[in-house]
Amino acid sequence: MAVQADTIEWNWAGNYSYGATTIHQPTTLEELRTLVAGAAKVRALGSRHSFNSLADTDGVLVNLSALAPDIRVDAAQSTVTVSAGTTYGILAAELKRQGYALHNLASLPHISIAGAIATATHGSGDGNGNLATAVVALQFMDAAGELHNVTRQRTPDFAAYVVGLGLLGIVTEVTLQIEADFKVAQHVYTELPWDAVLANFDEVTSRAYSVSLFTDWRGDTVGQVWFKQRLEDGRTGDYPASFLGGTAATVEMHPLPGVSAVNCTPQLGIAGQGSDRLSHFRMDFLPSSGNEIQSEYLLPREHAVAAINAMRELSATISPLLLVAEIRTIAADDLWLSPNYGRDGIGLHFTWKLDPEGVQAVLPLIEEALAPFAARPHWGKVFAADAVTVVPLYPKLADFLALAVSLDPGGKFRNDFLDRTIFGGSAGTHERK
């Protein structure tokens, strides 16, 4: 199936329209091979949850969601192999049925596996690497339409391939490490004083398997803190009526104050499978209809308190444009283009109102304030930085680009976004004005 260019195709949020001449949904690898081999320019489009032009091209877009999930569990190796266009929600449900789980999930289970991995999308937790850290093998199609298989065990530079930004080829199949299913109980606290949270930041983020702080940066308190307690990980899980001056919620909460929690995962300390708690939103509901823009910056954990204070100082500028901000922690990894390469970190996430001009105006101010902390922007969200700023943040970027050129010397998988942010060229845009 193909969508012709005279049909305007937008991303999920509604802030970006794709400039590709055609969007195809191949149903077989042979169809994909024909598309890739015959295109002058081609990119893979996932679940459209990127907020910038990373996935776009002025050639052909291919969406792999029409390929069968083909979920195969290897119990002996504790792995699962799955078609790359499958969503995490579909995979997690099948793993739960068979008694297995992934180590973590992102806020949304609706995102595609290949897209999340390519951009180093993450959940939260002091000891939890981003979703790409579960990858042990990849199959991808190169610019000539040939399939390649790389594995953590046998491929010396495997860490280059996982967070690949779509530059090395079209990922068609992913093998992930899995574990026995586990249970999680989710507790929410409201209005924790900032002074107490920042004085006890390590205690707060280590209190549960996964922790998220929601704020609008205004005032003296954190709006909500979500604790996702893994029941088998040794934590006692004492969740009293009050914690550090905050109050345990007695009704289920949505990250946005005043919004119904009907589409959020179960809370109030009621235990359930991790796949039903680690995401913030239920698979059978959309968290919203879009109408938002997202940014995120990831920086070393040791700068957490200073960076948070820097954002609080900008609240008069940030907050009027903001729906909500989220603070999470992520463990270090060895993936070359991961924002957590070589360092434990925190993520400062911004969910903006759908005001592209206002957001574009404030991003340089945020990036300037976070520059002393070597903040790396999330690849799939909006940011102002170009290659002059981004390239020095990644010690292995030159090696990655050399690999990309060797696999795709004609630049079939390159686009304006990548030219601007890592190759150093100029970029066009189809972002909504």
Side-chain angles (χ1 to χ4, degrees):
M1 183 177 71
V3 177
Q4 298 303 316
D6 56 359
T7 302
I8 297 176
E9 291 290 313
W10 294 87
N11 67 343
W12 168 80
N15 73 302
Y16 184 83
S17 64
Y18 297 101
T21 56
T22 316
I23 300 176
H24 289 271
Q25 283 187 295
T27 58
T28 67
L29 288 180
E30 282 307 310
E31 288 182 27
L32 177 63
R33 187 191 311 276
T34 299
L35 289 167
V36 171
K41 290 282 189 177
V42 63
R43 295 281 291 169
L45 179 65
S47 51
R48 306 191 190 201
H49 277 83
S50 286
F51 293 80
N52 57 35
S53 56
L54 171 62
D56 205 0
T57 177
D58 56 7
V60 172
L61 276 175
V62 293
N63 183 304
L64 303 186
S65 60
L67 294 176
D70 193 22
I71 299 170
R72 310 188 303 275
V73 170
D74 184 334
Q77 298 297 320
S78 294
T79 62
V80 62
T81 300
V82 59
S83 175
T86 306
T87 66
Y88 273 94
I90 290 173
L91 174 59
E94 176 59 21
L95 289 176
K96 181 174 73 170
R97 188 187 71 80
Q98 297 193 42
Y100 296 98
L102 298 164
H103 82 285
N104 210 351
L105 293 170
S107 298
L108 298 176
H110 312 78
I111 57 178
S112 69
I113 293 169
I117 289 166
T119 55
T121 294
H122 59 90
S124 187
D126 287 359
N128 299 325
N130 66 48
L131 303 186
T133 61
V135 178
V136 295
L138 287 172
Q139 181 186 81
F140 69 94
M141 186 172 289
D142 68 14
E146 298 299 319
L147 286 175
H148 299 258
N149 291 281
V150 292
T151 72
R152 181 167 283 280
Q153 286 187 331
R154 298 192 302 272
T155 307
D157 53 0
F158 179 74
Y161 288 87
V162 184
V163 183
L165 308 182
L167 260 176
L168 307 182
I170 307 293
V171 174
T172 55
E173 192 174 80
V174 181
T175 301
L176 302 163
Q177 200 74 50
I178 57 176
E179 55 190 277
D181 204 357
F182 54 88
K183 291 193 174 183
V184 169
Q186 187 164 216
H187 306 260
V188 177
Y189 284 78
T190 63
E191 304 304 327
L192 278 74
W194 271 117
D195 287 348
V197 168
L198 296 181
N200 300 277
F201 189 74
D202 290 346
E203 179 185 353
V204 172
T205 65
S206 66
R207 188 172 177 78
Y209 185 71
S210 172
V211 177
S212 291
L213 290 76
F214 291 99
T215 180
D216 64 3
W217 301 114
R218 292 186 175 104
D220 297 325
T221 61
V222 182
Q224 299 176 29
V225 183
W226 291 30
F227 296 99
K228 300 175 189 282
Q229 173 200 7
R230 180 167 170 165
L231 301 182
E232 295 89 348
D233 69 356
R235 294 180 175 86
T236 58
D238 180 19
Y239 288 90
S242 179
F243 172 63
L244 292 181
T247 303
T250 56
V251 297
E252 293 192 333
M253 306 291 290
H254 189 284
L256 293 178
V259 176
S260 170
V262 66
N263 58 6
C264 295
T265 51
Q267 302 161 28
L268 303 178
I270 301 170
Q273 303 312 118
S275 58
D276 298 326
R277 301 291 190 280
L278 290 175
S279 290
H280 296 332
F281 299 100
R282 300 173 187 261
M283 180 62 184
D284 50 350
F285 284 88
L286 283 175
S288 76
S289 59
N291 297 323
E292 65 188 52
I293 302 172
Q294 293 183 14
S295 301
E296 187 174 30
Y297 299 92
L298 299 105
L299 52 133
R301 185 187 176 96
E302 59 264 30
H303 300 309
V305 172
I308 289 169
N309 282 329
M311 295 302 94
R312 293 180 67 202
E313 291 174 5
L314 285 176
S315 63
T317 302
I318 295 173
S319 299
L321 292 165
L322 198 62
L323 292 173
V324 72
E326 182 179 6
I327 303 167
R328 289 177 283 181
T329 60
I330 311 98
D333 61 61
D334 67 344
L335 306 176
W336 290 7
L337 292 195
S338 165
N340 288 101
Y341 174 81
R343 64 193 200 187
D344 292 329
I346 67 162
L348 302 179
H349 183 275
F350 303 83
T351 300
W352 305 104
K353 298 172 184 176
L354 190 56
D355 180 355
E357 290 183 357
V359 171
Q360 288 296 330
V362 78
L363 290 178
L365 302 177
I366 292 174
E367 293 174 15
E368 181 181 8
L370 296 178
F373 313 123
R376 298 166 178 165
H378 189 298
W379 294 111
K381 304 182 190 294
V382 297
F383 57 91
D386 59 15
V388 173
T389 300
V390 173
V391 169
L393 297 171
Y394 288 91
K396 298 288 288 183
L397 187 53
D399 294 329
F400 175 83
L401 294 180
L403 177 63
V405 171
S406 71
L407 287 168
D408 180 23
K412 180 175 289 193
F413 299 118
R414 286 176 61 166
N415 66 6
D416 287 345
F417 175 91
L418 294 164
D419 284 343
R420 177 177 66 84
T421 58
I422 63 175
F423 284 99
S426 60
T429 182
H430 295 85
E431 292 178 13
R432 177 176 280 172
K433 302 297 185 184

